[in-house]
Amino acid sequence: MLKAWHLAVAPFVKQNKDKLVITLWLAGDNQPERVTLRAEVDNEETTLKMHKQRSQPQPEITAWRATIDLNSGQPRRRYSFKLLWHDRQLWFTPQGFSRFPPARLEQFAVDYPDNGPQWVVEQVFYQIFPDRFARSQQRTALQDQRYYHHAAGQEVIFRQWDEPVTAQAGGSTFYGGDLDGISEKLPYLKKLGVTALYLNPVFAAPSVHKYDTEDYRRVDEQFGGDGALLRLRENTHREGMRLILDGVFNHSGDSHAWFDRHNQTMGGACHNPESAQRDWYSFNDEGYALDWLGYPSLPKLDYASNALVQEIYGGEESIVRHWLIAPWNMDGWRLDVVHMLGEAGGARNNLQHVAGITRSAKAARPDAFVFGEHFGDARQWLQADAEDSAMNYRGFTFPLWGFLANTDISYDPQRIDAETCMAWMDNYRASLSHQQQLRMFNQLDSHDTARFKTLLGKDVARLPLAVIWLFSWPGVPCIYYGDEVGLDGNNDPFCRKTFPWEPEKQDKHLLALYQRMAKLRKQSQALRYGGCQVIYAHDNVVVFIRVYNQQRVLVAINRGEACEVVLDDTPLLSVKTWLLKEGKGSVQDGVLSLPAISATVWAGNH
């Protein structure tokens, strides 16, 4: 049977001055007489002859090689392989062999040059919901002032740190976490292995979650105000940590002075047709503002207004740029529900505006990291380079949920086997360039989902499998605060519990696993930069390998009983000695011995 191997990394892809050298490995009977490389120049398909190499990587392997000229064409180099016999042909793509030519977006892709933020791949991110992470020692009574929360129809509620979260008034209940509290806990985060923070919104807003922005240019006083954010920025700089803000540009809050539903300034668009911001929102024929998903406290912003575009991202003094330059110097933006942003109360011209936000961010800070929140398919935005990356729910979180927790995002039952899970994950990333894959924002859960530990239920023993997967799959791992110490919780508001700082309330074994995996990822170029090949997927077991130059990292996930797995012969496994890095399995002569409900990691050199 004919077999083929190619990953979009060295040793299969190498740059030699102004040429990109592309190599395909073949093995098996009835090999092709000719092989051509389907590439493109400025979106035009072109065929390049591949040459059989005299020197082979292994005796049973035949290597074919061609070069792409880097002096022409677009930075994203898309290509596939056409195998030819005298009477037939086959195509080889990231998803294997095909009898017909692949679609343009189903081919291998690499970015030369890579214009994305280079620093992102090196990070371990940590997501913080500010009110629930840490209450600072210097917090003042002024930060706990009560006020009437119009959207909830009641006064806000303040609770002690160890009081349980309840379903009552989820958006109006505060525990007093703040930005100085985060500063005080940076030593803990550094010991965990965290190198970058993503904060849920910090700008002035009446709710605890702050997605109902009241002022985009002022940090909420409950979190310590502008001064606390400056202190956090200085402290993260000192620790060598990156800091990402949450940009809520699809809608504002109804208490924003632009809208002013509650007549606090008497000049907002809600009640004043002559307001300077009237066209920043959409109104129906009856004069009612269009809101986001039926929440009247979240009126949709209308980007048909050029003045709004200039205020949010277009102008030199825009909000997007404001926080990326001195004195704030933030490292980028996470864009909330960004696929819904647009004109006329909907998403009209969405891609144009999302790309505009990204361009503006990079005009202020060339290495800014801009990534979008997409529960659905984000590839349209990524393929158009409207964003650097996306929260990888569709390509990582949901397949993993289906395989380990037997649920989907609607919390409906979903039982999938290893083959289905890997086909899902491979299909999603096959449409992205290798460099984009490495920057995808991978999480087990977030402030918008139930905690993964809770989703597992009686299968909680599978939790370490997910942690190891998080740190070893292509993409940048992000830990949702508290996951590393075993914090649980169902959907909002229960996934937003306070961090349990008392040592007796923490899962020390789980915390140690997170620390080991963060350290292993830091030590391994293959885990940060490598290509990924699934080499076994059946029933309860997934096995994949990360490849970078001569480095190999082999990962085996077994959700079921103890078993032995016989791997197909592959040159990617040609390693002198496999060193066990995590877990208790063994590998010998292509046979893996895996304990029940286990994840095992080995490393070696080709």
Side-chain angles (χ1 to χ4, degrees):
M1 183 175 68
L2 185 64
K3 297 180 180 180
W5 296 273
H6 178 83
L7 295 171
V9 292
F12 299 97
V13 176
K14 293 183 178 181
Q15 184 174 0
N16 183 6
K17 297 182 180 178
D18 59 352
K19 303 290 184 183
L20 197 63
V21 182
I22 308 290
T23 303
L24 175 69
W25 289 356
L26 296 176
D29 299 328
N30 194 20
Q31 294 206 18
E33 300 163 10
R34 293 183 293 130
V35 180
T36 61
L37 182 71
R38 182 276 185 202
E40 57 186 36
V41 177
D42 294 329
N43 302 331
E44 175 70 14
E45 292 189 17
T46 185
T47 299
L48 302 173
K49 182 179 180 181
M50 301 196 76
H51 300 276
K52 188 184 295 187
Q53 301 304 293
R54 294 180 179 178
S55 176
Q56 307 300 341
Q58 293 172 221
E60 68 276 14
I61 302 297
T62 301
W64 294 80
R65 187 168 294 162
T67 60
I68 294 175
D69 183 1
L70 295 178
N71 290 320
S72 62
Q74 303 298 313
R76 180 148 303 141
R77 317 288 171 167
R78 300 187 187 277
Y79 60 92
S80 55
F81 303 96
K82 186 179 184 181
L83 285 58
L84 291 155
W85 292 260
H86 75 280
D87 60 349
R88 63 189 179 94
Q89 63 180 248
L90 276 179
W91 292 78
F92 185 67
T93 74
Q95 297 186 77
F97 286 117
S98 171
R99 294 190 178 278
F100 56 87
R104 182 169 182 266
L105 299 181
E106 294 177 355
Q107 304 189 65
F108 294 101
V110 291
D111 295 330
Y112 282 86
D114 175 18
N115 296 318
Q118 305 297 306
W119 57 269
V120 172
V121 176
E122 296 284 342
Q123 309 308 308
V124 172
F125 273 87
Y126 193 84
Q127 179 190 348
I128 294 177
F129 193 84
D131 182 69
R132 308 293 164 84
F133 181 63
R135 184 181 175 103
S136 66
Q137 297 177 7
Q138 63 197 58
R139 188 177 178 89
T140 68
L142 291 176
Q143 290 176 255
D144 290 336
Q145 286 188 336
R146 296 185 182 275
Y147 58 86
Y148 189 77
H149 187 189
H150 287 90
Q154 66 170 67
E155 290 277 322
V156 296
I157 301 167
F158 286 96
R159 289 196 172 135
Q160 297 300 310
W161 198 257
D162 57 356
E163 286 187 79
V165 171
T166 69
Q168 177 196 5
S172 307
T173 302
F174 293 81
Y175 284 81
D178 53 33
L179 300 182
D180 285 319
I182 299 172
S183 284
E184 292 170 8
K185 298 301 183 182
L186 290 182
Y188 163 81
L189 294 171
K190 193 168 184 179
K191 185 177 179 181
L192 175 58
V194 168
T195 61
L197 305 182
Y198 149 49
L199 308 182
N200 286 110
V202 299
F203 304 129
S207 71
V208 68
H209 53 71
K210 309 299 178 192
Y211 283 98
D212 48 347
T213 312
E214 192 170 273
D215 189 340
Y216 287 98
R217 296 182 184 269
R218 180 168 57 88
V219 177
D220 200 290
E221 292 300 328
Q222 290 176 313
F223 293 162
D226 290 0
L229 184 60
L230 275 174
R231 290 189 289 274
L232 179 59
R233 176 71 284 193
E234 292 166 0
N235 292 331
T236 51
H237 269 147
R238 187 182 65 249
E239 298 293 348
M241 290 184 177
R242 301 283 183 161
L243 187 58
I244 299 290
L245 297 181
D246 203 331
V248 189
F249 304 134
N250 170 70
H251 51 265
S252 75
D254 65 353
S255 60
H256 198 297
W258 299 344
F259 193 78
D260 192 26
R261 182 187 299 279
H262 312 297
N263 286 315
Q264 295 168 303
T265 66
M266 307 300 290
C270 181
H271 305 294
N272 181 7
E274 304 304 317
S275 167
Q277 287 80 35
R278 183 71 174 190
D279 70 344
W280 293 20
Y281 299 90
S282 297
F283 293 84
N284 63 20
D285 293 339
E286 287 76 39
Y288 293 104
L290 303 183
D291 56 46
W292 180 67
L293 296 182
Y295 294 100
S297 62
L298 304 177
K300 279 272 290 184
L301 292 167
D302 188 344
Y303 284 83
S305 167
N306 183 63
L308 175 67
V309 167
Q310 295 303 307
E311 173 68 14
I312 297 292
Y313 71 82
E316 290 289 334
E317 305 297 325
S318 67
I319 292 161
V320 166
R321 299 189 189 196
H322 174 79
W323 297 99
L324 300 182
I325 60 176
W328 311 102
N329 298 312
M330 298 299 161
D331 292 294
W333 290 100
R334 177 264 194 189
L335 302 177
D336 182 60
V337 293
V338 69
H339 53 284
M340 302 185 75
L341 177 152
E343 302 172 8
R348 183 182 300 168
N349 291 325
N350 171 267
L351 206 57
Q352 165 191 327
H353 295 294
V354 177
I357 291 172
T358 300
R359 284 195 302 271
S360 179
K362 293 181 185 297
R365 185 184 182 108
D367 70 343
F369 181 36
V370 181
F371 64 101
E373 179 202 22
H374 301 268
F375 274 85
D377 191 342
R379 289 174 293 184
Q380 175 185 353
W381 291 264
L382 297 170
Q383 289 158 354
D385 289 314
E387 303 165 349
D388 292 317
S389 173
M391 299 181 79
N392 201 13
Y393 288 112
R394 184 63 65 94
F396 176 79
T397 310
F398 298 161
L400 188 144
W401 281 16
F403 183 67
L404 294 180
N406 302 318
T407 188
D408 69 6
I409 182 55
S410 301
Y411 308 104
D412 293 325
Q414 182 180 43
R415 293 182 176 272
I416 59 175
D417 59 15
E419 188 173 16
T420 303
C421 181
M422 289 296 90
W424 184 348
M425 295 173 85
D426 274 351
N427 171 268
Y428 194 83
R429 68 189 182 94
S431 299
L432 305 176
S433 75
H434 173 69
Q435 287 80 1
Q436 286 179 312
Q437 292 179 38
L438 298 180
R439 283 190 283 265
M440 291 299 284
F441 202 80
N442 293 341
Q443 292 184 274
L444 300 181
D445 46 31
S446 74
H447 67 293
D448 283 325
T449 74
R451 297 265 182 176
F452 186 67
K453 180 179 180 180
T454 296
L455 291 176
L456 286 169
K458 63 181 178 57
D459 292 318
V460 71
R462 295 177 176 178
L463 183 54
L465 282 61
V467 176
I468 290 172
W469 210 334
L470 174 67
F471 281 89
S472 54
W473 192 252
V476 58
C478 180
I479 306 163
Y480 181 42
Y481 82 98
D483 275 0
E484 75 277 13
V485 294
L487 200 59
D488 61 3
N490 227 315
N491 212 343
D492 175 24
F494 302 103
C495 58
R496 305 174 182 182
K497 294 179 180 178
T498 55
F499 191 102
W501 288 109
E502 299 89 339
E504 63 272 13
K505 295 182 179 180
Q506 299 179 359
D507 184 333
K508 295 299 177 55
H509 293 291
L510 186 61
L511 176 60
L513 175 61
Y514 271 93
Q515 291 172 322
R516 291 195 305 272
M517 289 306 299
K519 183 177 180 179
L520 178 60
R521 189 177 189 275
K522 183 178 181 180
Q523 294 170 341
S524 173
Q525 285 186 309
L527 288 181
R528 301 194 309 277
Y529 293 98
C532 181
Q533 181 76 52
V534 176
I535 57 177
Y536 184 89
H538 179 69
D539 197 11
N540 294 318
V541 178
V542 166
V543 183
F544 59 90
I545 191 167
R546 300 295 302 276
V547 175
Y548 188 74
N549 284 318
Q550 303 304 311
Q551 295 182 22
R552 306 286 188 270
V553 174
L554 185 65
V555 181
I557 309 288
N558 176 23
R559 70 178 182 185
E561 301 296 324
C563 63
E564 285 193 344
V565 172
V566 179
L567 301 178
D568 288 341
D569 187 29
T570 168
L572 300 180
L573 289 173
S574 180
V575 167
K576 296 174 183 177
T577 304
W578 286 109
L579 299 177
L580 185 67
K581 294 294 185 177
E582 184 62 47
K584 297 180 180 179
S586 65
V587 54
Q588 187 172 6
D589 299 327
V591 178
L592 305 184
S593 295
L594 305 178
I597 313 179
S598 66
T600 314
V601 182
W602 300 268
N605 288 305
H606 178 67

